[in-house]
Amino acid sequence: MGDGLLAQYLDAPPRLPYLVFGALLLISVAAVALTPETVEKPPVRPAYRPQRVSADHGDPAGYLAAAAAGFASFGLFTSLAPQFVGDPLHHPSRALAGLTVFAVFGAAAVAQTLTSRLDAKVRGNLGLFAQAAGMAALAVGMQTASLPVFLVAGIVAGSGAGVLFKSAVGTVVAMATPAERGEALAGLFLISYLGLALPAIGLGIATRYIAVTTAMTWFTGALLALLTTAAVLARRTGPRPRG
């Protein structure tokens, strides 16, 4: 949202948000460097090796379900939401575009906090249902060119996505042994960040040939199919013997 406000109301809109972000990043790096270490250092420093990425943790269906959920929870809405608000909905305000994306991520953070005490299975089902319902409503908002429906749908979908990703992380942490949790989470985050990048690239290519509304409707359908796949895989989860 801050980028949208800066771009809307201050000079040099293409550059200023990046300069502000760079300054804040440098401040964050300094703060981390000055923060006292809370972990006791071992007397012998272990040899450094790159973090492995692994999906083999005794429950293939469970890991695939978590990975599909992570991919789905990171992607579609933020890819072209600002462009959609500015073009088909005829609201060119950069501040509104930023507020739209902020509302989705803010809803995700709030939903994660409010559902932290729920049973893991209940939380996962709630996330799947909320994101699917939000994406279906999003398609309606796009087809009717209704900004209120679009925004409410984004908030509902964002809430579901936040809960779903939290559930995916919990699933992976629970299935991996302590020594393997790092590589298990690395695999989940790698797939999830692909979910952030690939829809944006795909939608960017698609909108060169078809209307934004059509492209987002097709990608919404694909995301709903992925959420259905995650739900089916989650029902087949169960630990398997490891050789």
Side-chain angles (χ1 to χ4, degrees):
M1 184 174 68
D3 286 353
L5 293 173
L6 289 172
Q8 181 69 27
Y9 299 113
L10 298 180
D11 293 332
R15 299 183 298 275
L16 186 58
Y18 292 97
L19 293 175
V20 172
F21 176 79
L24 293 175
L25 183 62
L26 290 175
I27 294 173
S28 300
V29 170
V32 171
L34 295 173
T35 300
E37 180 59 73
T38 58
V39 177
E40 184 177 346
K41 294 182 179 180
V44 178
R45 186 172 183 176
Y48 171 79
R49 66 175 177 83
Q51 174 69 63
R52 289 183 56 203
V53 175
S54 172
D56 179 22
H57 299 285
D59 185 3
Y63 195 90
L64 283 175
F71 186 97
S73 64
F74 262 52
L76 178 70
F77 190 87
T78 55
S79 301
L80 281 187
Q83 182 179 345
F84 188 84
V85 171
D87 189 4
L89 295 182
H90 308 295
H91 291 280
S93 168
R94 295 186 180 95
L96 178 60
L99 176 63
T100 302
V101 177
F102 172 80
V104 175
F105 279 100
V110 171
Q112 286 181 342
T113 302
L114 295 178
T115 59
S116 59
R117 296 187 179 183
L118 290 180
D119 175 77
K121 190 172 184 63
V122 173
R123 187 170 58 234
N125 290 335
L126 178 63
L128 280 167
F129 176 79
Q131 188 172 6
M135 295 309 298
L138 183 66
V140 174
M142 291 186 291
Q143 294 298 328
T144 60
S146 170
L147 179 61
V149 174
F150 186 78
L151 290 176
V152 171
I155 291 171
V156 173
S159 300
V163 174
L164 189 59
F165 184 70
K166 183 181 181 70
S167 177
V169 172
T171 298
V172 170
V173 168
M175 73 172 58
T177 63
E180 295 175 329
R181 281 176 187 162
E183 60 192 50
L185 288 172
L188 175 65
F189 275 90
L190 175 62
I191 294 169
S192 299
Y193 279 114
L194 287 176
L196 185 64
L198 294 182
I201 295 172
L203 283 167
I205 295 172
T207 53
R208 295 177 62 89
Y209 305 100
I210 59 177
V212 176
T213 302
T214 303
M216 288 195 72
T217 300
W218 278 102
F219 273 81
T220 299
L223 186 60
L224 287 172
L226 183 59
L227 290 170
T228 302
T229 301
V232 171
L233 288 171
R235 289 183 175 275
R236 298 179 181 176
T237 60
R240 298 186 181 183
R242 304 185 63 180

